Amino acid sequence: SSISVGQILPANRNTPSPIDPETIQVPVGYEPDPADLALSSIPGQEMFDPRKRKFSEEELKPQPMIKKARKVFIPDDLKDDKYWARRRKNNMAAKRSRDARRLKENQIAIRASFLEKENSALRQEVADLRKELGKCKNVLAKYEARHGPL
């Protein structure tokens, strides 16, 4: 004998729809220091938001320690205009690289801080929900003991 779902469960039962985990908003008491946010934002662009910015696996990989090449001493008589132009260009590139690295490190640090706070809030919410679920199970068990299974 086949039994349809309608025979077991009442038709008017309110079953919630699945929830996309990405849409769940968790209240997180997190207010980053405005100075830290400024150090993590590109001037003239939108402020860095640690709640929204996600980093790829690749971005979070530790960078290998690269040995610097030995400095090659250049005698003063070989330091012509071409040499100084290359030095200026290299110094500007090195500064851009350091600034970009510092910006990324600051963003990752602020994002990590936010995620730690969010993790703590989520763990508290899970604990509260488990406690509530325990109470509901107790109520259900008492009901079923008295009136039979639902």
Side-chain angles (χ1 to χ4, degrees), residues 28 30 32 50 107-119:
V28 178
Y30 177 73
Q107 288 180 347
I108 290 171
I110 288 179
R111 173 82 173 147
S113 176
F114 164 71
L115 289 173
E116 285 179 6
K117 290 262 188 335
E118 184 182 50
N119 189 23

PDB file of all heavy atoms in Angstrom, residues 28 30 32 50 107-119:
ATOM      1  N   VAL A  28      26.681  41.891  14.159  1.00  0.00           N
ATOM      2  CA  VAL A  28      28.052  41.806  14.668  1.00  0.00           C
ATOM      3  C   VAL A  28      28.423  43.176  15.211  1.00  0.00           C
ATOM      4  O   VAL A  28      28.413  44.156  14.474  1.00  0.00           O
ATOM      5  CB  VAL A  28      29.042  41.399  13.548  1.00  0.00           C
ATOM      6  CG1 VAL A  28      30.459  41.351  14.074  1.00  0.00           C
ATOM      7  CG2 VAL A  28      28.651  40.061  12.946  1.00  0.00           C
ATOM      8  N   TYR A  30      30.711  45.294  15.465  1.00  0.00           N
ATOM      9  CA  TYR A  30      32.064  45.535  14.960  1.00  0.00           C
ATOM     10  C   TYR A  30      32.124  46.906  14.301  1.00  0.00           C
ATOM     11  O   TYR A  30      31.476  47.152  13.297  1.00  0.00           O
ATOM     12  CB  TYR A  30      32.451  44.458  13.945  1.00  0.00           C
ATOM     13  CG  TYR A  30      33.811  44.678  13.327  1.00  0.00           C
ATOM     14  CD1 TYR A  30      34.967  44.460  14.064  1.00  0.00           C
ATOM     15  CD2 TYR A  30      33.940  45.118  12.023  1.00  0.00           C
ATOM     16  CE1 TYR A  30      36.217  44.662  13.515  1.00  0.00           C
ATOM     17  CE2 TYR A  30      35.189  45.326  11.460  1.00  0.00           C
ATOM     18  CZ  TYR A  30      36.324  45.099  12.212  1.00  0.00           C
ATOM     19  OH  TYR A  30      37.562  45.306  11.659  1.00  0.00           O
ATOM     20  N   PRO A  32      35.167  49.098  12.971  1.00  0.00           N
ATOM     21  CA  PRO A  32      36.611  49.274  12.814  1.00  0.00           C
ATOM     22  C   PRO A  32      37.027  50.727  13.029  1.00  0.00           C
ATOM     23  O   PRO A  32      36.239  51.637  12.791  1.00  0.00           O
ATOM     24  CB  PRO A  32      36.874  48.824  11.372  1.00  0.00           C
ATOM     25  CG  PRO A  32      35.553  48.874  10.689  1.00  0.00           C
ATOM     26  CD  PRO A  32      34.496  48.726  11.742  1.00  0.00           C
ATOM     27  N   PRO A  50      35.014  45.601   5.358  1.00  0.00           N
ATOM     28  CA  PRO A  50      35.417  44.235   5.732  1.00  0.00           C
ATOM     29  C   PRO A  50      34.253  43.248   5.737  1.00  0.00           C
ATOM     30  O   PRO A  50      34.463  42.038   5.722  1.00  0.00           O
ATOM     31  CB  PRO A  50      35.994  44.405   7.135  1.00  0.00           C
ATOM     32  CG  PRO A  50      35.408  45.666   7.657  1.00  0.00           C
ATOM     33  CD  PRO A  50      35.162  46.545   6.457  1.00  0.00           C
ATOM     34  N   GLN A 107      44.032  45.422   4.756  1.00  0.00           N
ATOM     35  CA  GLN A 107      42.682  44.940   4.448  1.00  0.00           C
ATOM     36  C   GLN A 107      42.462  43.551   5.033  1.00  0.00           C
ATOM     37  O   GLN A 107      41.421  43.278   5.636  1.00  0.00           O
ATOM     38  CB  GLN A 107      42.467  44.905   2.932  1.00  0.00           C
ATOM     39  CG  GLN A 107      42.334  46.267   2.303  1.00  0.00           C
ATOM     40  CD  GLN A 107      42.120  46.188   0.805  1.00  0.00           C
ATOM     41  OE1 GLN A 107      42.297  45.141   0.181  1.00  0.00           O
ATOM     42  NE2 GLN A 107      41.747  47.301   0.215  1.00  0.00           N
ATOM     43  N   ILE A 108      43.447  42.680   4.874  1.00  0.00           N
ATOM     44  CA  ILE A 108      43.314  41.309   5.382  1.00  0.00           C
ATOM     45  C   ILE A 108      43.203  41.318   6.912  1.00  0.00           C
ATOM     46  O   ILE A 108      42.394  40.589   7.492  1.00  0.00           O
ATOM     47  CB  ILE A 108      44.486  40.426   4.894  1.00  0.00           C
ATOM     48  CG1 ILE A 108      44.347  40.185   3.391  1.00  0.00           C
ATOM     49  CG2 ILE A 108      44.534  39.104   5.652  1.00  0.00           C
ATOM     50  CD1 ILE A 108      45.548  39.501   2.745  1.00  0.00           C
ATOM     51  N   ALA A 109      43.986  42.186   7.570  1.00  0.00           N
ATOM     52  CA  ALA A 109      43.941  42.261   9.042  1.00  0.00           C
ATOM     53  C   ALA A 109      42.558  42.720   9.513  1.00  0.00           C
ATOM     54  O   ALA A 109      41.989  42.144  10.456  1.00  0.00           O
ATOM     55  CB  ALA A 109      45.018  43.212   9.548  1.00  0.00           C
ATOM     56  N   ILE A 110      41.988  43.732   8.858  1.00  0.00           N
ATOM     57  CA  ILE A 110      40.662  44.236   9.258  1.00  0.00           C
ATOM     58  C   ILE A 110      39.592  43.192   8.962  1.00  0.00           C
ATOM     59  O   ILE A 110      38.692  42.959   9.768  1.00  0.00           O
ATOM     60  CB  ILE A 110      40.360  45.572   8.551  1.00  0.00           C
ATOM     61  CG1 ILE A 110      41.243  46.658   9.161  1.00  0.00           C
ATOM     62  CG2 ILE A 110      38.903  45.944   8.694  1.00  0.00           C
ATOM     63  CD1 ILE A 110      41.064  48.016   8.546  1.00  0.00           C
ATOM     64  N   ARG A 111      39.698  42.530   7.812  1.00  0.00           N
ATOM     65  CA  ARG A 111      38.735  41.480   7.460  1.00  0.00           C
ATOM     66  C   ARG A 111      38.817  40.337   8.477  1.00  0.00           C
ATOM     67  O   ARG A 111      37.789  39.816   8.925  1.00  0.00           O
ATOM     68  CB  ARG A 111      39.028  40.969   6.042  1.00  0.00           C
ATOM     69  CG  ARG A 111      38.217  39.779   5.604  1.00  0.00           C
ATOM     70  CD  ARG A 111      36.855  40.131   5.105  1.00  0.00           C
ATOM     71  NE  ARG A 111      36.201  38.945   4.558  1.00  0.00           N
ATOM     72  CZ  ARG A 111      34.911  38.729   4.617  1.00  0.00           C
ATOM     73  NH1 ARG A 111      34.110  39.627   5.145  1.00  0.00           N
ATOM     74  NH2 ARG A 111      34.388  37.636   4.124  1.00  0.00           N
ATOM     75  N   ALA A 112      40.032  39.955   8.863  1.00  0.00           N
ATOM     76  CA  ALA A 112      40.204  38.878   9.847  1.00  0.00           C
ATOM     77  C   ALA A 112      39.569  39.270  11.182  1.00  0.00           C
ATOM     78  O   ALA A 112      38.904  38.451  11.824  1.00  0.00           O
ATOM     79  CB  ALA A 112      41.686  38.561  10.032  1.00  0.00           C
ATOM     80  N   SER A 113      39.769  40.516  11.589  1.00  0.00           N
ATOM     81  CA  SER A 113      39.187  40.999  12.840  1.00  0.00           C
ATOM     82  C   SER A 113      37.661  40.918  12.781  1.00  0.00           C
ATOM     83  O   SER A 113      37.008  40.461  13.717  1.00  0.00           O
ATOM     84  CB  SER A 113      39.651  42.434  13.085  1.00  0.00           C
ATOM     85  OG  SER A 113      39.037  42.958  14.218  1.00  0.00           O
ATOM     86  N   PHE A 114      37.086  41.364  11.646  1.00  0.00           N
ATOM     87  CA  PHE A 114      35.633  41.294  11.474  1.00  0.00           C
ATOM     88  C   PHE A 114      35.159  39.841  11.522  1.00  0.00           C
ATOM     89  O   PHE A 114      34.179  39.520  12.200  1.00  0.00           O
ATOM     90  CB  PHE A 114      35.204  41.936  10.150  1.00  0.00           C
ATOM     91  CG  PHE A 114      33.806  41.563   9.739  1.00  0.00           C
ATOM     92  CD1 PHE A 114      32.710  42.065  10.421  1.00  0.00           C
ATOM     93  CD2 PHE A 114      33.584  40.670   8.708  1.00  0.00           C
ATOM     94  CE1 PHE A 114      31.422  41.703  10.071  1.00  0.00           C
ATOM     95  CE2 PHE A 114      32.304  40.293   8.347  1.00  0.00           C
ATOM     96  CZ  PHE A 114      31.219  40.809   9.026  1.00  0.00           C
ATOM     97  N   LEU A 115      35.867  38.948  10.820  1.00  0.00           N
ATOM     98  CA  LEU A 115      35.451  37.541  10.778  1.00  0.00           C
ATOM     99  C   LEU A 115      35.519  36.885  12.153  1.00  0.00           C
ATOM    100  O   LEU A 115      34.679  36.042  12.484  1.00  0.00           O
ATOM    101  CB  LEU A 115      36.303  36.756   9.768  1.00  0.00           C
ATOM    102  CG  LEU A 115      36.038  37.088   8.295  1.00  0.00           C
ATOM    103  CD1 LEU A 115      37.046  36.372   7.403  1.00  0.00           C
ATOM    104  CD2 LEU A 115      34.617  36.728   7.891  1.00  0.00           C
ATOM    105  N   GLU A 116      36.497  37.274  12.961  1.00  0.00           N
ATOM    106  CA  GLU A 116      36.584  36.727  14.321  1.00  0.00           C
ATOM    107  C   GLU A 116      35.372  37.166  15.144  1.00  0.00           C
ATOM    108  O   GLU A 116      34.785  36.365  15.869  1.00  0.00           O
ATOM    109  CB  GLU A 116      37.889  37.153  14.990  1.00  0.00           C
ATOM    110  CG  GLU A 116      39.077  36.377  14.448  1.00  0.00           C
ATOM    111  CD  GLU A 116      40.402  36.780  15.076  1.00  0.00           C
ATOM    112  OE1 GLU A 116      40.414  37.596  16.016  1.00  0.00           O
ATOM    113  OE2 GLU A 116      41.433  36.258  14.613  1.00  0.00           O
ATOM    114  N   LYS A 117      34.986  38.449  15.004  1.00  0.00           N
ATOM    115  CA  LYS A 117      33.802  38.934  15.717  1.00  0.00           C
ATOM    116  C   LYS A 117      32.543  38.221  15.202  1.00  0.00           C
ATOM    117  O   LYS A 117      31.684  37.814  15.984  1.00  0.00           O
ATOM    118  CB  LYS A 117      33.648  40.445  15.524  1.00  0.00           C
ATOM    119  CG  LYS A 117      34.692  41.283  16.231  1.00  0.00           C
ATOM    120  CD  LYS A 117      34.149  41.804  17.547  1.00  0.00           C
ATOM    121  CE  LYS A 117      34.991  42.803  18.274  1.00  0.00           C
ATOM    122  NZ  LYS A 117      36.396  42.854  18.072  1.00  0.00           N
ATOM    123  N   GLU A 118      32.433  38.080  13.875  1.00  0.00           N
ATOM    124  CA  GLU A 118      31.271  37.413  13.289  1.00  0.00           C
ATOM    125  C   GLU A 118      31.208  35.955  13.739  1.00  0.00           C
ATOM    126  O   GLU A 118      30.140  35.443  14.078  1.00  0.00           O
ATOM    127  CB  GLU A 118      31.335  37.492  11.756  1.00  0.00           C
ATOM    128  CG  GLU A 118      30.103  36.901  11.086  1.00  0.00           C
ATOM    129  CD  GLU A 118      30.175  36.932   9.577  1.00  0.00           C
ATOM    130  OE1 GLU A 118      31.201  36.494   9.013  1.00  0.00           O
ATOM    131  OE2 GLU A 118      29.207  37.380   8.960  1.00  0.00           O
ATOM    132  N   ASN A 119      32.358  35.290  13.775  1.00  0.00           N
ATOM    133  CA  ASN A 119      32.427  33.897  14.210  1.00  0.00           C
ATOM    134  C   ASN A 119      31.918  33.770  15.645  1.00  0.00           C
ATOM    135  O   ASN A 119      31.142  32.861  15.975  1.00  0.00           O
ATOM    136  CB  ASN A 119      33.866  33.392  14.093  1.00  0.00           C
ATOM    137  CG  ASN A 119      33.967  31.903  14.311  1.00  0.00           C
ATOM    138  OD1 ASN A 119      33.006  31.168  14.147  1.00  0.00           O
ATOM    139  ND2 ASN A 119      35.145  31.456  14.681  1.00  0.00           N
TER     140      ASN A 119
END
